[in-house]
Amino acid sequence: MWLTLKVTKRVLAKSVTVTQDNFSASENVVDIKSDREGACQKHDSDPPDGNQELTESIFNDLPSSQLLYFEKMNELSSASRTSPVSKGRDERVNSSSDKVRDPLSFYAGAERRSRPTDSSSHSKPALCKAESLKDHLKSAMTGNARAQTLQVSKTKQLKEAVLSEEIFVARKAIESPSVDIGPFYRLPSKVKDLFRQLRGIETLYEWQHDCLTLESLQQRKNLIYSLPTSGGKTLVAEIIILQELLCRQKDVLMILPYVAIVQEKVRGLSSFGIELGFLVEEYAGSKGRFPPIKRRVKKSLYIATIEKGHALVNSLIETERIDDLGLVVVDELHMLGEGSRGAILEITLAKILYTSKTTQIIGMSATLNNVGDLQKFLQAEYYTNNFRPVDLKEYIKIRDTIYAVDSKSENGFAFSRLLNFKYSSNLERADPDHIIALVTEVIPKYSCLIFCPTKKSCENVASLVCKYLKKEFRAHKEREKEDLIKNLKSIGNGTVCPVLKQTVPFGIAYHHSGLTNDERKSIEEAYSSGVLCLLACTATLAAGVNLPARRVILRSPYIGNDFLKKNQYKQMIGRAGRAGIDSAGESILIVQEKDKHLVQDLVHSPLENCYSNLLLELTKGMQSLLLSLVGLKIAVTYEEVDNFMCCTLLGVQQQLLPKEKSLSEVIKDGLENLIEKGLLKGTISEKDHNSKSALTITPLGKATYKSSIDLAYCNLLYRELRKGLEGLVLESNLHLLYLSTPYDMTFTCSPDWMIYFRQFNQLSAAERKVADIVGVPESFITKKASGQAIRKNVDNAVVNRLYLTFVLYSLLKETNIWSVSEKFNMSRGYVQNLLSSAASFASCLLHFCEELEEFWVYKALLTELTKQLTYCVKAELIPLMEVAGVLEMLLSEKAEALQEEVEELLKVPTDIPGTH
């Protein structure tokens, strides 16, 4: 024990000396090329230390891998004496002026630590030459192999491990950066320069400055802020994220609603990561590592969908690393009230609030009403502002008359004008809603969006408008339009959608989920650059990508067959008006006489309230939450579960509960249901449900929550995997593909029976056996294709799932979304979404099997299949790799990951007998 204390004091004293040196004037500091050279030069010039021999003798007793660990820390301390960070600190302390140091200096130290030594310096001693990562690893392993086995006790080995950890913690505390590291909202000036270079942002709006300087933010309180669409909410969030990554040196999770937005944000922030020294990691689809790699130097920004964000938080709680997460940012916070995804988001935030007292939560939205409930749930402050960069003028159109939305008038509308456009009788029949008249008032000089109720309506409107436009429209940016057609043709492997081929020359396109990711991205870029001036789109564009327009036209007050909600209406009209381009934005809602009174209520009503969906979405909500609470050991008794539930949004909104049941009774019913399903073990009766007897999770329950499998399907999945063990057909991957086909996509599938029959007939005898095993006999498909009556009951979900499996099977063979979509008469966007969902579900299935020893045989098979499905996704997204900065960022992440793995290898093993 004396030896441990002695060494600890010695090293910590040395650390304190280093710190003091950093804050003293140092005129004789030698400029260094690398840490190793600097260390050698310092060794040569320093007078011998009286205690040096003692220290060296202690170090000689350590394993070679541990010696390399101490050597690495010694290099870091040497570098810190002359690094630009300490130099800037000296200047700031010794200088009488308030001059801020060069923002680049904050990052220079970290860059120098990883920069190789100049190969031209042949005169330097051999020990001062920089070694590659491979050499470090090799020498450490060689040293371990050759080193004599020391006759030391296990207690001494434990002390060595504890000592190294103590030194690392102390060093990290001493060398931690200042919270305030620059003049731009506590960030270096370089951040401001990057926003100017990469985003074209010169100054912030007044509200953004006010929000960023809120006292509640300085005190790290949770915050909800709400502004109209296009008000600049995201920029505030990004600055807060950078403060957390760079100032507080903590990881950050950003939760976004859709995969496409996650991918867009990853691209947008990757350049910041490269320049500022943090990692941007994508958690969407099949991407994401659980738990994430624990990094010592660079911090990570995890950009995730709602589902992946939940899985990430679970993994951090399980590995006791949730406090590493300094900040969670949620975009579109109003999604808390939207179905199963809202339930998952609520669960994620509740777990963070309950398990970490240091993680800050920031939520933003353009459409919030019952903010009080959300504030109570998130224990948050609230900031709101009505700022819009340009004014918005709302109109509705009935017949050929435009009315302004005016709350002061008697019926809520004020006459504005008559349409000034002469229609022929033919045109009147083709365009009774006068869309062409409304569009030609703004295009091609200005941009226009038309929101349509269905995907088919989008394509029809685009075709209709270009059919009646004058030929002069084709001349506007003609060359750029030709380039866009070529690009779309390249994306489609030589094929272009006939509708787009017809409309793009006029500067018009449609935008909906039927397009592939690459097609959507090309169309969005063409619209943003002015090559396209009109998009006919579905409502998903309003909640997704930021594509503003001078005029926004709502083709109908319906989405599909459902009447518009106020939140949806606000999202759509919020796209009107482009900051810095338009002086005002206009929205026009086309209304039929029969819907006039409904529209009056719509435009003048308040926003919808945001309510918990934990009860409405039972298997993805309440039951999923209860299972994971026990599995993660957040709450293992009824009393603990009850305490947790009071911290949820449902706990705040207990008025939503059925009148005949209290929250305690709902919890009791949920736990008993999980016990009945075989996912939990324990007893909860009327007499003792308030007792402190602990619940435990079963292997099946653990596999379910860790793999994020919907509880509605976990027992069915288990039975299908067990059945597969009895006779898995391995002649091809068809059987495995069936098991990996997502259950929830079967509801959106309507098989074409002739196509089904043709695809079945192309299967081999062994592959046809798969259909029989899963429960779709050949006779059933034959009778369906020929229109005969079916007497035998066959599960429609299984039939639809096998049909989707055929789609995936063809896709893996052909790897061409266009040809497969034509073969199955499906939209190419739907096929791509199926592929992406299957890759994600296969990854979940793999985690499910990893938790159940009886399914060990599936592990290797599913690992390979997941790669195949993911590769198909990547093949379609290869052009994204060519975007400036993305490839470099991926290489940087790979290098960082390798470095972390090496550091783990060089650490003293924690599983030495007697160390626990």
Side-chain angles (χ1 to χ4, degrees):
M1 186 65 190
W2 177 88
L3 178 62
T4 305
L5 290 172
K6 184 77 174 175
V7 176
T8 305
K9 288 178 181 177
R10 175 83 181 100
V11 177
L12 290 178
K14 190 173 180 181
S15 300
V16 173
T17 305
V18 170
T19 309
Q20 292 170 344
D21 288 346
N22 286 342
F23 282 90
S24 65
S26 51
E27 296 177 2
N28 299 322
V29 174
V30 180
D31 190 19
I32 56 175
K33 290 185 179 179
S34 71
D35 290 334
R36 192 173 291 277
E37 285 184 18
C40 292
Q41 289 171 0
K42 190 71 179 174
H43 176 74
D44 291 340
S45 60
D46 281 355
D49 191 337
N51 294 322
Q52 185 174 355
E53 290 182 10
L54 175 61
T55 306
E56 288 180 353
S57 66
I58 293 172
F59 280 5
N60 285 339
D61 290 337
L62 293 172
S64 57
S65 61
Q66 195 71 5
L67 279 172
L68 185 59
Y69 175 77
F70 279 105
E71 181 186 348
K72 178 72 175 173
M73 290 199 300
N74 192 44
E75 290 172 9
L76 293 173
S77 66
S78 299
S80 68
R81 298 177 189 176
T82 54
S83 72
V85 179
S86 57
K87 186 176 178 182
R89 197 184 293 122
D90 295 338
E91 290 172 356
R92 192 166 65 250
V93 171
N94 294 318
S95 171
S96 58
S97 68
D98 255 347
K99 190 164 139 191
V100 181
R101 71 183 186 275
D102 177 6
L104 290 172
S105 66
F106 178 73
Y107 309 100
E111 291 169 1
R112 185 167 284 131
R113 280 197 292 274
S114 60
R115 191 175 295 150
T117 309
D118 187 352
S119 59
S120 63
S121 303
H122 297 294
S123 60
K124 299 294 178 186
L127 287 174
C128 293
K129 290 182 180 178
E131 295 179 16
S132 68
L133 194 62
K134 184 177 177 182
D135 292 336
H136 271 302
L137 185 57
K138 186 176 179 181
S139 63
M141 289 181 169
T142 304
N144 283 338
R146 292 179 178 174
Q148 278 189 324
T149 304
L150 299 176
Q151 300 299 316
V152 293
S153 66
K154 291 179 181 177
T155 303
K156 185 175 180 180
Q157 291 178 355
L158 171 61
K159 288 176 181 177
E160 290 170 357
V162 171
L163 171 63
S164 66
E165 198 60 38
E166 289 174 347
I167 294 171
F168 175 76
V169 171
R171 181 87 67 202
K172 192 169 183 180
I174 292 167
E175 296 180 350
S176 62
S178 169
V179 172
D180 190 343
I181 60 174
F184 181 66
Y185 300 100
R186 296 183 288 129
L187 291 166
S189 298
K190 185 175 183 182
V191 173
K192 186 176 181 180
D193 295 337
L194 286 172
F195 277 116
R196 184 186 300 112
Q197 295 165 14
L198 301 175
R199 303 281 180 80
I201 297 172
E202 295 286 344
T203 56
L204 270 63
Y205 297 129
E206 184 179 346
W207 84 263
Q208 291 172 326
H209 172 78
D210 292 344
C211 187
L212 286 167
T213 53
L214 286 172
E215 188 176 344
S216 55
L217 267 185
Q218 314 309 315
Q219 296 172 358
R220 287 189 53 75
K221 292 182 179 178
N222 296 342
L223 177 69
I224 299 169
Y225 64 101
S226 176
L227 280 96
T229 303
S230 305
K233 296 183 294 296
T234 304
L235 177 60
V236 169
E238 289 176 349
I239 291 173
I240 296 171
I241 286 169
L242 293 176
Q243 288 173 344
E244 193 70 23
L245 290 164
L246 304 180
C247 302
R248 296 194 70 251
Q249 292 285 294
K250 287 281 192 175
D251 296 329
V252 177
L253 169 61
M254 188 177 197
I255 298 177
L256 300 170
Y258 304 112
V259 173
I261 305 176
V262 168
Q263 292 169 341
E264 181 189 26
K265 188 58 67 178
V266 167
R267 291 195 298 271
L269 290 176
S270 289
S271 297
F272 283 85
I274 293 166
E275 294 292 333
L276 300 173
F278 62 87
L279 298 175
V280 180
E281 302 188 36
E282 179 181 339
Y283 279 76
S286 61
K287 293 183 180 178
R289 179 166 177 168
F290 303 102
I293 298 172
K294 185 175 177 64
R295 308 184 190 281
R296 291 180 182 158
V297 181
K298 289 188 176 182
K299 296 304 168 185
S300 292
L301 168 57
Y302 310 114
I303 303 180
T305 57
I306 292 171
E307 294 79 8
K308 286 288 183 176
H310 179 224
L312 178 64
V313 167
N314 278 349
S315 71
L316 292 174
I317 293 172
E318 185 176 29
T319 53
E320 299 182 350
R321 288 168 48 193
I322 189 64
D323 287 333
D324 291 349
L325 204 58
L327 173 69
V328 176
V329 173
V330 181
D331 195 7
E332 310 293 356
L333 185 63
H334 61 270
M335 289 199 72
L336 275 168
E338 297 186 12
S340 62
R341 308 192 76 218
I344 295 170
L345 181 56
E346 179 181 347
I347 291 169
T348 305
L349 295 175
K351 285 177 179 175
I352 294 168
L353 288 164
Y354 195 83
T355 59
S356 174
K357 302 306 177 187
T358 60
T359 304
Q360 186 181 20
I361 296 175
I362 305 289
M364 54 181 167
S365 174
T367 53
L368 289 177
N369 192 28
N370 56 330
V371 178
D373 285 355
L374 301 183
Q375 279 186 266
K376 193 172 179 182
F377 165 46
L378 295 178
Q379 303 157 34
E381 301 289 312
Y382 180 56
Y383 176 88
T384 186
N385 197 303
N386 290 324
F387 171 82
R388 271 186 59 89
V390 294
D391 292 333
L392 172 62
K393 298 176 181 178
E394 291 181 56
Y395 300 97
I396 68 165
K397 188 192 85 69
I398 302 176
R399 297 193 181 126
D400 60 351
T401 307
I402 306 291
Y403 298 91
V405 175
D406 182 5
S407 58
K408 296 178 182 178
S409 65
E410 187 176 344
N411 61 0
F413 304 120
F415 174 81
S416 177
R417 64 186 174 91
L418 292 171
L419 277 177
N420 185 22
F421 192 90
K422 292 183 179 180
Y423 267 50
S424 66
S425 57
N426 288 337
L427 184 53
E428 186 72 41
R429 283 194 297 270
D431 182 24
D433 294 325
H434 309 108
I435 291 174
I436 295 169
L438 296 173
V439 163
T440 51
E441 288 178 346
V442 289
I443 67 168
K445 186 178 180 181
Y446 301 107
S447 58
C448 182
L449 294 175
I450 304 177
F451 285 104
C452 303
T454 64
K455 289 183 284 188
K456 189 62 180 172
S457 177
C458 292
E459 297 177 30
N460 291 340
V461 167
S463 298
L464 170 71
V465 173
C466 75
K467 185 177 179 182
Y468 289 96
L469 286 183
K470 296 177 182 178
K471 291 184 179 179
E472 288 78 6
F473 280 87
R474 298 179 67 102
H476 181 73
K477 296 196 175 185
E478 188 173 5
R479 182 176 297 177
E480 290 89 340
K481 292 172 188 172
E482 290 174 356
D483 291 339
L484 175 58
I485 291 288
K486 288 178 183 176
N487 188 28
L488 292 171
K489 191 173 183 179
S490 173
I491 291 168
N493 293 322
T495 308
V496 180
C497 168
V499 176
L500 291 176
K501 193 173 183 179
Q502 173 198 5
T503 62
V504 167
F506 289 91
I508 300 169
Y510 65 86
H511 185 289
H512 58 59
S513 61
L515 296 167
T516 65
N517 293 339
D518 289 339
E519 284 176 315
R520 279 203 301 271
K521 183 170 178 290
S522 293
I523 288 170
E524 288 162 10
E525 289 175 349
Y527 177 82
S528 297
S529 62
V531 177
L532 297 175
C533 56
L534 172 65
L535 289 185
C537 50
T538 52
T540 51
L541 184 139
V545 188
N546 185 22
L547 295 176
R550 172 64 172 267
R551 176 176 288 180
V552 168
I553 300 170
L554 279 68
R555 175 74 176 75
S556 163
Y558 291 87
I559 295 180
N561 295 320
D562 300 322
F563 196 78
L564 268 182
K565 295 178 182 178
K566 184 60 178 280
N567 288 349
Q568 295 167 328
Y569 173 71
K570 280 290 186 183
Q571 288 273 12
M572 292 182 194
I573 68 171
R575 295 299 175 198
R578 298 167 298 170
I581 300 175
D582 300 325
S583 57
E586 299 174 339
S587 72
I588 302 174
L589 171 57
I590 299 173
V591 182
Q592 305 301 320
E593 195 70 44
K594 65 181 178 67
D595 295 323
K596 184 177 177 180
H597 294 295
L598 290 173
V599 169
Q600 282 178 338
D601 294 338
L602 171 70
V603 298
H604 296 297
S605 64
L607 293 164
E608 288 86 7
N609 286 335
C610 184
Y611 292 120
S612 171
N613 276 270
L614 286 184
L615 289 182
L616 295 177
E617 299 291 336
L618 196 58
T619 57
K620 288 188 177 181
M622 178 64 83
Q623 289 186 4
S624 174
L625 172 57
L626 295 175
L627 180 65
S628 62
L629 287 179
V630 177
L632 292 168
K633 299 180 180 177
I634 296 172
V636 296
T637 67
Y638 177 88
E639 185 180 357
E640 290 171 347
V641 172
D642 194 51
N643 289 338
F644 180 95
M645 289 304 301
C646 291
C647 300
T648 62
L649 182 58
L650 178 62
V652 172
Q653 298 174 331
Q654 293 195 33
Q655 73 274 14
L656 299 178
L657 294 167
K659 290 182 180 180
E660 64 276 8
K661 284 194 176 181
S662 65
L663 182 59
S664 296
E665 289 172 321
V666 169
I667 294 169
K668 174 180 172 292
D669 289 348
L671 291 172
E672 287 181 342
N673 187 273
L674 292 172
I675 293 169
E676 188 179 326
K677 284 184 175 180
L679 303 176
L680 290 180
K681 285 191 292 187
T683 55
I684 298 207
S685 64
E686 289 288 346
K687 187 181 294 186
D688 69 351
H689 75 258
N690 283 315
S691 71
K692 295 185 178 180
S693 57
L695 294 161
T696 56
I697 195 164
T698 65
L700 177 59
K702 186 178 180 182
T704 301
Y705 95 80
K706 291 196 72 171
S707 61
S708 300
I709 297 291
D710 189 340
L711 269 67
Y713 305 116
C714 62
N715 290 100
L716 172 61
L717 176 62
Y718 179 80
R719 290 195 300 269
E720 288 184 335
L721 289 170
R722 286 280 300 176
K723 191 174 181 180
L725 290 178
E726 298 169 8
L728 188 66
V729 178
L730 295 176
E731 182 182 279
S732 70
N733 56 13
L734 181 66
H735 199 167
L736 209 58
L737 265 177
Y738 175 81
L739 295 173
S740 304
T741 302
Y743 290 105
D744 54 2
M745 290 201 72
T746 60
F747 303 110
T748 61
C749 174
S750 298
D752 182 312
W753 295 108
M754 285 307 298
I755 295 174
Y756 210 146
F757 180 70
R758 282 197 298 270
Q759 292 300 310
F760 182 86
N761 283 337
Q762 291 174 16
L763 300 177
S764 66
E767 289 172 336
R768 291 185 187 189
K769 187 180 176 184
V770 173
D772 200 47
I773 290 172
V774 302
V776 185
E778 181 178 358
S779 59
F780 173 82
I781 299 173
T782 304
K783 287 179 179 178
K784 273 288 188 180
S786 60
Q788 297 179 41
I790 307 292
R791 293 179 182 177
K792 185 179 179 181
N793 288 330
V794 177
D795 189 340
N796 283 334
V798 174
V799 172
N800 292 358
R801 195 172 177 217
L802 183 62
Y803 187 70
L804 293 177
T805 302
F806 287 171
V807 178
L808 290 169
Y809 189 50
S810 296
L811 196 52
L812 287 186
K813 288 195 293 186
E814 300 179 30
T815 64
N816 185 326
I817 285 177
W818 273 84
S819 61
V820 172
S821 64
E822 289 175 5
K823 181 185 291 183
F824 286 87
N825 195 25
M826 294 175 167
S827 74
R828 50 203 182 278
Y830 180 86
V831 172
Q832 188 175 56
N833 183 43
L834 171 63
L835 177 62
S836 179
S837 298
S840 181
F841 187 71
S843 177
C844 294
L845 187 58
L846 174 60
H847 291 307
F848 185 88
C849 292
E850 285 173 342
E851 294 298 325
L852 295 169
E853 188 60 36
E854 61 192 292
F855 295 143
W856 64 269
V857 71
Y858 286 110
K859 294 177 188 177
L861 297 171
L862 286 169
T863 300
E864 187 59 33
L865 183 65
T866 303
K867 287 179 183 178
Q868 280 185 280
L869 292 166
T870 305
Y871 173 78
C872 283
V873 173
K874 285 183 180 177
E876 298 299 323
L877 300 177
I878 284 174
L880 296 183
M881 299 291 292
E882 297 169 1
V883 176
V886 173
L887 181 58
E888 185 179 352
M889 189 65 197
L890 291 175
L891 291 173
S892 173
E893 286 187 15
K894 185 67 175 177
E896 180 76 13
L898 289 171
Q899 176 68 46
E900 295 291 342
E901 288 179 23
V902 169
E903 289 181 4
E904 288 298 318
L905 285 169
L906 298 180
K907 283 174 61 180
V908 171
T910 57
D911 56 352
I912 297 172
T915 62
H916 294 287

